[in-house]
């Protein structure tokens, strides 16, 4: 029970930290980095982007634009709903 509560507390704290990030691109990258720590280097987001955009408090259009910018910057690769983080930019 304590382990479950502790895990949920960590998730909530991470979500609040993520929502405090102003830039949509940085918020999406934070989400992908968090998911990749749990799921490995490849993240399957098939059919989940609209619900994730709600979780990030972004419109789905803003989410798609942020993913496109990250892909153009070479940070991620997308292929049929699967996202791979190629490079993690150093924060300033």
């Amino acid at each position: 029970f304590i382990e479950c509560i502790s895990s949920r507390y960590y998730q909530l704290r991470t979500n609040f930290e993520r929502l405090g990030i102003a830039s949509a691109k940085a918020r999406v990258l934070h989400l992908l980095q968090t998911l990749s720590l749990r799921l490995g280097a490849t993240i399957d987001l098939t059919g989940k982007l609209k619900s994730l955009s709600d979780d990030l408090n972004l419109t789905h259009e803003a989410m798609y634009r942020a993913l496109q910018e990250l892909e153009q910057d070479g940070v991620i690769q997308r292929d049929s709903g699967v996202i791979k983080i190629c490079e993690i930019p150093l924060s300033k």
Side-chain angles (χ1 to χ4, degrees):
F1 177 74
I2 301 264
E3 185 177 319
C4 179
I5 296 293
S6 175
S7 174
R8 186 66 183 138
Y9 172 76
Y10 174 75
Q11 289 173 351
L12 287 171
R13 196 178 81 206
T14 303
N15 288 341
F16 281 125
E17 177 185 330
R18 184 177 302 122
L19 290 175
I21 299 172
S23 161
K25 182 176 165 182
R27 204 180 298 177
V28 170
L29 181 60
H30 186 273
L31 172 71
L32 294 175
Q33 289 172 332
T34 304
L35 290 175
S36 71
L37 292 175
R38 274 189 271 151
L39 304 176
T42 303
I43 305 160
D44 184 7
L45 295 178
T46 307
K48 300 177 187 174
L49 288 179
K50 283 193 178 184
S51 65
L52 285 176
S53 65
D54 289 339
D55 293 344
L56 294 173
N57 200 24
L58 297 171
T59 63
H60 63 277
E61 292 91 353
M63 174 88 165
Y64 293 133
R65 278 193 304 271
L67 286 170
Q68 184 178 20
E69 288 177 23
L70 289 168
E71 188 174 25
Q72 288 173 348
D73 293 345
V75 176
I76 64 170
Q77 289 179 341
R78 293 190 296 172
D79 184 35
S80 302
V82 177
I83 296 175
K84 179 181 177 186
I85 297 180
C86 302
E87 171 187 325
I88 298 177
L90 299 174
S91 58
K92 296 179 182 179

